[in-house]
Amino acid sequence: MHVSLLMIFLLATPLTASLLMAVLPSRSVSTLVFEALHAVSVLTIVLLAGYLIITVLRGGEPIDTLGGWFYLDALGSVFVFLISALGLLTGWFSLSYLRHDLKAGSIGAVQFKQYYTFFNLFLFTMLLVVLSNNIIMMWISIEATTIVTVFLVGSYQTKLALEAAWKYIVVCTAGVAFGLYGTLLIYANAAEVLLDPAQAVLWTSLVGAAPQFDAMLIQIAFVFAVVGFGTKAGLFPMHTWLPDAHSEAPSPVSALLSGVLIKCAVLVIIRFYIIAVAALGPAFPQLVMLIIGIISVVIASLAVFSSDDLKRKLAYSSVKNIGVVALCLGFGGPLGIAAALLHCVMHGFTKALMFCISGNILMKYGTRSLKKISGIVQVAPTTAVLMIIGLFALSGFPPLAMFIPEVMAFVAGVSAGYVWIVVILGLALALIIAAFMLVVSRSVFRKAPEQLQKKDLGFMILAPEVIMVVVIVWFGVLMPGPLLKGVESATAIVMQQPDQNVLHNDPLLKDFFAAGELSGSNVNE
Amino acid sequence: MSVFILTTGALIAIVLPLLTGLFIVMCPQKAARVLAIVAGVIATAATLIIWCGLAASPEEALRVSLVTIGKVEVIGFVFDRISVMLAACFVGIGLLITIYTVGYLNEGNREHPDLPRRRFFAAFIVFIGAMAGIVYSSTLVGMLVFFEVTGICSWLLIGYYGNENSERSALKALILTQIGALGLFIAVGYLFAAAGTFEVSAIASLSDFNKAVLLILILIAAWAKSAQLPFYMWLPSAMVAPTPVSAYLHGASMVKVGVAVMARVLAEAGAIPEVVGWVIVVGALATLLFSFFMYLPQKDMKRLLAFSTISQISYMFLGFGFFVFGSDLAFEGSVMHIFNHAFAKTLFFLIAGAFSYTMGTRMFPRLRGVLRKQPLLGVGFAVAALAIAGAPPLNGFFSKFAIFAGSFEAASGNWLLLAIVVVALIETVACFAWFLKWIGWVLPGEPSDEVAAAAPLPKTMGFVFVVLIIFTVVSSFIAAAWLG
Amino acid sequence: MDGYALINILGGLLIITSLMVVLTKTIKRAAYIYGAQALVLVAIFITLGVVTDSSELFKWAGTALLTKVILIPAVVLFGLKKLGGSTVDTTPPRSSIWMIVLVAAEVILSFLAVGGVELPTALEVKPALAISLAHFFIGLTCIISQRNIVKQIFGFCLMENGSHVTLALLAPDAPSLLEIGIATDAIFVVAVMVFFAVRIYKSINTLDTNEIMNLKG
């Protein structure tokens, strides 16, 4: 009982913080109050989320509450982890970043308050997405993330920021309307099959009833859902809002958008994927994911290479990585699914780090144009080191986090027989590497402009970034057991195998995940 | 017990350099070279201990799984005659070059006066660790990991001077090898799909078809790293790197990654379908002829050496190819050649670097009468050139001899293979003549203006030259005795 | 049977009204036509409620009346007032003929797509179902083809209406809570969009999306 109550608290925390901030007047209240409320909120989220995740993974049973409307299983836990951890880190980073903006005059007291209000509301809506079991609410909460973040994207109120915000809201609402259509089709079908309309909105009951669904209808519905939520996830060709919104938003918000929000949309796609696989068998859903995935990867890689703006480069790289996630889902099989989930986590941390770093660079250079940025290593050496590690990680080099899902993706793709897709993926990756290495050699190395003060940013800015780098290295070198366990259980859910240890039974992977965690140096004489 | 020592040693040889690299970035600039040398010495000692450890052990080969998920070995080590020898060679040469660098990268350099930045030593020491990792790895995933790490390190080092040209060359090297690495990436997936494991030794159990596909995939990656056709382009461009880097790339790292991976894979593959042999042999011959014609017109000593490396690596592939056709001697010769060539080529490059450092040029037309002015450099040049050309009693002769003897043995009865061997042999002779010509030009006679005005040789360089000259003479005996 | 015929006819009316929303010259008039179209929607809900004997649908009709007929046009008109005067769509119109052809094509394609569905509830109302799908795409067409910001907002509303009708046709028994959730969400979206439209107009002094195409997407 009390555990499900905690779930409500988890949702209530950022909501309450946000409402409190909204009520407080911006002029008479010290900025410290907003910062304190914000800090309490993000810390509480981490504690509650951590406890809930541990409970779910330990017990092996999902938690639900409020008549099954809210639901946390291992699959959701992976994403709750991402939201809470990155919410804390980017929230921490926000503190100094916003103060800097306030001091520089690019925002006023009103926007300062607005920022924290919407930041917490943003966390709330994302938690709502991943905790929803009601598919309509899932859709509503995805829509809500758009409504909330559009204010964050438009924070700076410049012409470009407004343009980005408009594009964001139009493309996303139109796109997500497809999601609504798909959702409603599935609901209508389920209402027919299940007889009890109240059950027909619950994802958990939909999965069970899926084999009786109308094939044509579910095909239409799945395509609509992929287009709809794929818009939010940033898949080609609906990704057009993403580079604009991610580049115009304040850097910590870009970090959350790219690191977490688009992953939440991926979760919704995965939920629909599960239903579609149960209703249609894997062939059709996988084909859809493969097509959309490989196109996203190719187009986005070209865009990453040709872009001159640091944040746009990073944004396009997010499109590419979401494409990789889609591909992994398309490859299917336990390894493919696990790769997709791990890729979400690893890319989340890496991209959040890189967007935060782009914030450092903005603070230091006042521009995002890579042509004007050079010699970071002289101007801000610590930032430079973090940035190099971040870019290596994004390029998928070992021993950094993203290497692991990358290798898994290759293995899954080859195992599934899609060698040509894997080859294209590999070539796209080479292009991405070239793009990012050029950033390192031109912007990080080379000579710094004369007039810049050679002094790195403060501790409060660097500390969350250092933590992210540590996480990236740690996950890459020694993946923590609980994470692997969580991903395994989540994979079992996606594969719809009642056995939590699904990967144990796969003929190919019989032993792969058997121990569930890495054993240390296991010396056989 | 001995397995424990070997594993610990290997971990030290790999992880200590990696950590040192990270640490160097955070330390003051002056500490960088000291840290790098200390880490290099410890790593070299570790590889030597491993060598002794295996020699003392009654076993032919020892295997250790290091990171496993369930029962699947993801990363593991294998200690056998090939790996312990090559690791000691690669790490030890890395150390020697680090020492040499201290004398090379400084204000006194006539071609590139420069203070060494931390980045250089950090990347270099990581490179050394990654080389140990490649050689000891017993799984394809492990190889892939270190393969990629060497890619980053080489990128950082080739682009070290930071001008447009070096940036472009660095990127060329990285991207071409990355495209080749795709072969290894797919191979990892293919092996896992076919055998359910990542262990290299599992290749032996595959069907002929799977084995051929897998080996050719790995061969693509090996070609890319070893600068063979059609990937060779990055190696001549990579000459913009500081000379110690070129020495390491050619002698004991980048280009040796490919052949080392190939040696490991072939050694454990069991009976290999002949088609793989044909692919290897034809590829090797094409590269061999191509590189020979490319090095005729070169005047820059470093560019000449680049093409010479490409052709020397082709000999190793040739040996591998004839191993597939049944000659163990050819294989042994190839592995020996990896070892021997490492010393000779490193020496050659470092001599070229010393020319640049003391005389400000490494263009052949301006280099005459070196022997009189700088006798140590002169001797080094002669030894290196003759070793590369394959003149007895220097090391290159023995390994090439083994390769050719083995090749003839395997080719007997097949006129096409025989023709390939003969062509290769003719190339060797021509190469010999060509090097003899340059020795005759550079060493004897009155010093030219540049040579006459040469600065004194730094002591660190001198030390390194002495060690390398000794090894270039004796390495073949060590390898022959060890490989038996 | 008659009830279903009426529904299909009302569906046709839906297409006509939505086409008018897309083609109309002034924003104000578009808002009124949208209100009228929402009335058609309400009529569909009521007819369907009578035919299928579903009490939930009457509640839907009520919500739709409140949110779609009254609130959404009101919000848009309120926004227009804030803009002060610029109620005429000054952007050069796309050719009406082409728009009509496009819409016709969408209707035909939707009929083809719906043809394969074999859900029992869908059989009676297939034409209406196809029309609702087409309606959804007309909304999308409106967003893509129209350069006026406010028109784009209506485009979104049309998509929304299309999905509503589909839901009502396929699952008349759906709890009204669902419908209320979706409708409320739509109000929020429209309000935020209008808010940004006003802000854009105040800062850039245009409602033409071509004027705000500096980002390359």
Side-chain angles (χ1 to χ4, degrees):
Chain A
M1 178 58 208
H2 77 288
V3 180
S4 52
L5 208 61
L6 281 183
M7 217 148 97
I8 309 279
F9 283 149
L10 177 60
L11 286 169
T13 306
L15 184 63
T16 318
S18 168
L19 292 178
L20 263 176
M21 290 182 201
V23 174
L24 291 173
S26 59
R27 287 179 211 291
S28 51
V29 177
S30 154
T31 52
L32 277 176
V33 175
F34 292 108
E35 290 178 346
L37 267 173
H38 166 73
V40 170
S41 165
V42 288
L43 276 172
T44 316
I45 292 175
V46 165
L47 294 178
L48 287 173
Y51 185 79
L52 280 168
I53 293 170
I54 291 170
T55 313
V56 169
L57 292 186
R58 280 256 171 82
E61 287 294 319
I63 310 171
D64 65 283
T65 184
L66 290 186
W69 275 38
F70 296 104
Y71 173 81
L72 180 65
D73 55 4
L75 181 56
S77 300
V78 173
F79 292 84
V80 169
F81 165 66
L82 206 54
I83 296 172
S84 56
L86 287 177
L88 176 69
L89 291 169
T90 57
W92 181 359
F93 180 81
S94 295
L95 294 175
S96 309
Y97 194 78
L98 262 269
R99 280 187 186 179
H100 175 273
D101 274 357
L102 195 62
K103 219 162 92 193
S106 47
I107 56 166
V110 180
Q111 282 88 22
F112 188 86
K113 165 191 153 167
Q114 233 178 41
Y115 177 88
Y116 286 115
T117 312
F118 283 111
F119 191 96
N120 281 283
L121 207 54
F122 181 24
L123 290 180
F124 164 72
T125 53
M126 286 196 292
L127 284 170
L128 203 60
V129 173
V130 298
L131 292 178
S132 297
N133 187 31
N134 178 325
I135 53 168
I136 303 287
M137 198 167 71
M138 223 183 262
W139 172 78
I140 290 178
S141 42
I142 283 277
E143 189 92 314
T145 58
T146 312
I147 299 178
V148 172
T149 45
V150 74
F151 288 98
L152 289 170
V153 170
S155 289
Y156 289 130
Q157 309 211 347
T158 58
K159 198 177 156 187
L160 285 182
L162 281 176
E163 184 186 328
W166 179 256
K167 208 161 166 186
Y168 178 36
I169 195 168
V170 167
V171 175
C172 276
T173 49
V176 174
F178 277 86
L180 173 66
Y181 205 93
T183 309
L184 291 181
L185 284 180
I186 288 182
Y187 166 76
N189 203 333
E192 194 72 31
V193 174
L194 284 171
L195 300 175
D196 178 9
Q199 287 292 313
V201 285
L202 298 184
W203 179 81
T204 33
S205 33
L206 288 173
V207 175
Q212 306 163 53
F213 289 171
D214 181 271
M216 183 69 193
L217 204 66
I218 296 298
Q219 280 185 10
I220 299 177
F222 181 66
V223 172
F224 270 62
V226 170
V227 170
F229 300 113
T231 308
K232 196 73 204 186
L235 286 167
F236 183 86
M238 299 83 69
H239 69 286
T240 50
W241 63 274
L242 193 146
D244 297 342
H246 288 209
S247 59
E248 292 301 327
S251 292
V253 173
S254 317
L256 265 192
L257 286 172
S258 248
V260 190
L261 175 59
I262 57 177
K263 312 303 188 307
C264 292
V266 167
L267 172 66
V268 178
I269 295 180
I270 293 177
R271 298 261 188 219
F272 279 88
Y273 173 87
I274 297 170
I275 295 177
V277 169
L280 306 166
F284 179 77
Q286 289 184 355
L287 181 69
V288 173
M289 299 316 288
L290 280 179
I291 293 172
I292 207 163
I294 194 66
I295 300 176
S296 300
V297 166
V298 171
I299 303 281
S301 303
L302 293 171
V304 170
F305 190 77
S306 57
S307 174
D308 272 339
D309 177 319
L310 176 61
K311 285 180 83 172
R312 293 181 78 83
K313 240 186 188 24
L314 294 175
Y316 278 118
S317 138
S318 292
V319 176
K320 181 248 165 191
N321 281 292
I322 290 295
V324 173
V325 172
L327 272 183
C328 290
L329 290 174
F331 293 148
L335 205 56
I337 306 292
L341 295 171
L342 266 182
H343 199 84
C344 283
V345 175
M346 306 305 196
H347 176 252
F349 277 94
T350 315
K351 193 47 75 60
L353 165 72
M354 279 316 297
F355 269 118
C356 286
I357 299 237
S358 78
N360 292 13
I361 290 168
L362 268 170
M363 283 189 262
K364 208 71 210 173
Y365 288 78
T367 176
R368 308 186 308 241
S369 164
L370 286 169
K371 286 191 177 134
K372 294 179 195 150
I373 302 169
S374 64
I376 300 171
V377 77
Q378 295 149 32
V379 175
T382 312
T383 301
V385 172
L386 298 177
M387 183 171 174
I388 293 173
I389 296 176
L391 287 173
F392 280 163
L394 270 188
S395 308
F397 282 120
L400 303 164
M402 278 172 61
F403 179 71
I404 293 174
E406 187 186 300
V407 171
M408 286 168 73
F410 276 93
V411 174
V414 174
S415 304
Y418 298 109
V419 176
W420 285 111
I421 291 184
V422 169
V423 169
I424 296 172
L425 178 62
L427 294 177
L429 186 68
L431 200 60
I432 295 273
I433 292 175
F436 285 142
M437 293 307 107
L438 280 176
V439 174
V440 177
S441 56
R442 293 192 179 144
S443 297
V444 181
F445 295 152
R446 286 209 180 163
K447 258 202 146 29
E450 295 291 326
Q451 71 278 13
L452 271 180
Q453 195 197 357
K454 298 198 163 99
K455 185 174 179 298
D456 214 321
L457 294 140
F459 172 78
M460 284 294 277
I461 283 283
L462 294 173
E465 294 170 346
V466 170
I467 292 175
M468 284 187 248
V469 165
V470 169
V471 168
I472 289 168
V473 175
W474 172 32
F475 283 9
V477 174
L478 269 180
M479 200 179 336
L483 178 62
L484 199 60
K485 181 76 200 149
V487 168
E488 184 187 12
S489 307
T491 308
I493 292 170
V494 180
M495 301 294 290
Q496 279 300 300
Q497 309 225 352
D499 183 2
Q500 285 273 323
N501 299 326
V502 50
L503 299 169
H504 295 55
N505 300 330
D506 189 272
L508 200 59
L509 295 156
K510 211 177 287 168
D511 306 318
F512 197 80
F513 277 81
E517 55 194 37
L518 291 171
S519 58
S521 52
N522 172 11
V523 180
N524 330 317
E525 298 235 2
Chain B
M1 186 58 200
S2 78
V3 174
F4 177 76
I5 293 176
L6 296 191
T7 313
T8 317
L11 280 174
I12 289 174
I14 298 165
V15 176
L16 179 77
L18 296 183
L19 291 181
T20 310
L22 208 62
F23 194 58
I24 284 176
V25 175
M26 295 185 277
C27 280
Q29 193 165 12
K30 291 212 174 87
R33 56 191 191 192
V34 179
L35 281 169
I37 290 178
V38 170
V41 169
I42 297 173
T44 309
T47 56
L48 291 174
I49 289 170
I50 292 172
W51 194 341
C52 298
L54 186 74
S57 151
E59 315 262 348
E60 191 66 16
L62 290 165
R63 286 165 196 282
V64 175
S65 49
L66 201 67
V67 179
T68 54
I69 298 183
K71 286 179 200 151
V72 174
E73 181 180 328
V74 179
I75 290 178
F77 292 153
V78 54
F79 304 104
D80 63 2
R81 290 186 177 271
I82 301 173
S83 72
V84 296
M85 183 177 88
L86 291 184
C89 162
F90 295 163
V91 174
I93 289 182
L95 169 65
L96 288 174
I97 297 175
T98 315
I99 296 171
Y100 174 95
T101 307
V102 174
Y104 182 85
L105 276 188
N106 56 36
E107 301 282 17
N109 191 315
R110 291 200 176 174
E111 198 180 36
H112 288 289
D114 187 20
L115 281 178
R117 277 163 280 179
R118 278 171 285 190
R119 180 180 341 154
F120 182 91
F121 287 107
F124 205 90
I125 196 73
V126 171
F127 211 151
I128 293 175
M131 286 312 296
I134 283 258
V135 179
Y136 287 135
S137 282
S138 65
T139 66
L140 282 188
V141 173
M143 286 181 181
L144 183 60
V145 168
F146 294 113
F147 193 98
E148 294 282 282
V149 174
T150 59
I152 313 177
C153 296
S154 66
W155 175 80
L156 276 165
L157 290 169
I158 296 171
Y160 176 73
Y161 284 130
N163 51 43
E164 190 82 33
N165 192 12
S166 65
E167 278 171 13
R168 201 173 319 121
S169 306
L171 199 59
K172 203 190 220 177
L174 181 65
I175 296 304
L176 277 172
T177 54
Q178 180 67 30
I179 289 173
L182 202 50
L184 197 52
F185 268 104
I186 297 174
V188 169
Y190 200 87
L191 179 62
F192 189 72
T197 173
F198 296 119
E199 281 162 79
V200 175
S201 52
I203 296 176
S205 65
L206 297 181
S207 69
D208 269 5
F209 175 77
N210 282 343
K211 205 184 275 185
V213 172
L214 195 74
L215 289 175
I216 289 173
L217 283 170
I218 297 172
L219 181 65
I220 292 172
W223 275 344
K225 273 280 193 218
S226 291
Q228 301 290 289
L229 281 178
F231 299 101
Y232 79 96
M233 298 80 88
W234 66 265
L235 192 63
S237 317
M239 285 304 153
V240 296
T243 301
V245 173
S246 306
Y248 200 41
L249 293 184
H250 287 253
S253 65
M254 268 306 247
V255 301
K256 296 297 167 66
V257 168
V259 277
V261 165
M262 216 55 217
R264 159 75 38 229
V265 171
L266 291 176
E268 309 216 4
I272 302 163
E274 283 204 349
V275 58
V276 179
W278 281 109
V279 175
I280 298 178
V281 167
V282 170
L285 187 73
T287 312
L288 195 62
L289 292 177
F290 170 80
S291 55
F292 175 71
F293 287 114
M294 288 302 288
Y295 68 69
L296 291 182
Q298 305 299 337
K299 294 278 184 288
D300 179 345
M301 190 167 156
K302 276 181 81 174
R303 282 188 73 84
L304 171 71
L305 290 181
F307 286 103
S308 136
T309 299
I310 296 175
S311 76
Q312 295 298 319
I313 298 282
S314 304
Y315 287 124
M316 299 168 201
F317 276 105
L318 206 62
F320 291 150
F322 283 104
F323 167 64
V324 175
F325 290 113
S327 164
D328 287 346
L329 184 60
F331 184 76
E332 233 159 63
S334 285
V335 174
M336 223 154 87
H337 203 48
I338 298 177
F339 188 69
N340 294 341
H341 178 253
F343 293 103
K345 198 39 86 52
T346 307
L347 176 61
F348 218 153
F349 267 101
L350 294 186
I351 295 280
F355 286 161
S356 299
Y357 185 92
T358 57
M359 303 162 194
T361 183
R362 46 169 206 254
M363 292 302 178
F364 281 135
R366 296 199 222 147
L367 294 170
R368 303 212 69 164
V370 172
L371 206 50
R372 191 165 298 173
K373 178 73 189 175
Q374 295 274 22
L376 184 58
L377 290 186
V379 172
F381 184 88
V383 168
L386 291 172
I388 298 287
L394 295 166
N395 61 11
F397 169 76
F398 297 100
S399 41
K400 274 192 192 177
F401 182 80
I403 292 175
F404 281 112
S407 303
F408 272 118
E409 167 194 309
S412 59
N414 186 330
W415 62 268
L416 193 56
L417 285 177
L418 220 49
I420 290 174
V421 183
V422 170
V423 172
L425 201 56
I426 293 170
E427 197 274 358
T428 312
V429 175
C431 159
F432 181 73
W434 192 250
F435 272 102
L436 222 49
K437 173 199 151 181
W438 283 124
I439 291 174
W441 174 271
V442 172
L443 294 188
E446 281 302 309
S448 59
D449 293 349
E450 280 88 352
V451 175
L457 193 66
K459 284 201 178 63
T460 46
M461 289 191 186
F463 163 75
V464 172
F465 287 142
V466 172
V467 175
L468 282 173
I469 290 171
I470 294 171
F471 269 97
T472 305
V473 177
V474 303
S475 78
S476 200
F477 305 110
I478 298 173
W482 173 244
L483 293 174
Chain C
M1 242 337 58
D2 281 345
Y4 284 118
L6 185 59
I7 290 168
N8 289 340
I9 291 169
L10 284 172
L13 205 56
L14 218 49
I15 294 284
I16 294 169
T17 45
S18 59
L19 197 57
M20 282 165 73
V21 172
V22 178
L23 294 178
T24 252
K25 285 281 177 295
T26 75
I27 304 293
K28 212 178 220 164
R29 203 185 299 151
Y32 290 132
I33 299 175
Y34 177 79
Q37 128 136 147
L39 268 179
V40 177
L41 192 73
V42 171
I44 292 186
F45 286 163
I46 292 174
T47 328
L48 207 59
V50 173
V51 174
T52 60
D53 201 24
S54 152
S55 61
E56 294 286 344
L57 277 171
F58 294 112
K59 288 187 207 155
W60 288 37
T63 348
L65 192 67
L66 180 67
T67 60
K68 290 182 193 293
V69 181
I70 301 170
L71 278 178
I72 288 185
V75 169
V76 172
L77 289 173
F78 175 76
L80 283 178
K81 207 164 151 198
K82 282 219 149 184
L83 297 180
S86 67
T87 54
V88 181
D89 182 356
T90 50
T91 59
R94 306 280 160 124
S95 157
S96 306
I97 309 287
W98 271 113
M99 285 301 296
I100 291 167
V101 171
L102 201 62
V103 167
E106 279 165 0
V107 173
I108 293 168
L109 280 179
S110 302
F111 267 92
L112 291 177
V114 169
V117 176
E118 279 158 16
L119 210 61
T121 38
L123 294 179
E124 301 269 19
V125 287
K126 266 197 182 172
L129 192 60
I131 279 171
S132 66
L133 183 59
H135 197 256
F136 180 85
F137 280 108
I138 294 172
L140 185 66
T141 316
C142 179
I143 293 180
I144 294 170
S145 68
Q146 299 298 310
R147 282 166 47 185
N148 184 288
I149 285 183
V150 186
K151 280 283 188 67
Q152 291 189 331
I153 300 178
F154 282 124
F156 166 71
C157 296
L158 295 181
M159 291 177 84
E160 179 99 62
N161 286 357
S163 20
H164 258 126
V165 178
T166 310
L167 178 65
L169 292 170
L170 290 181
D173 291 326
S176 54
L177 200 57
L178 266 186
E179 210 274 343
I180 292 171
I182 299 169
T184 318
D185 182 274
I187 286 283
F188 266 107
V189 172
V190 170
V192 172
M193 282 174 136
V194 169
F195 173 82
F196 269 94
V198 171
R199 212 187 240 186
I200 287 173
Y201 188 76
K202 283 193 174 150
S203 109
I204 314 172
N205 205 24
T206 180
L207 283 180
D208 186 347
T209 49
N210 275 18
E211 304 276 317
I212 51 169
M213 287 292 257
N214 297 314
L215 294 172
K216 290 174 296 260

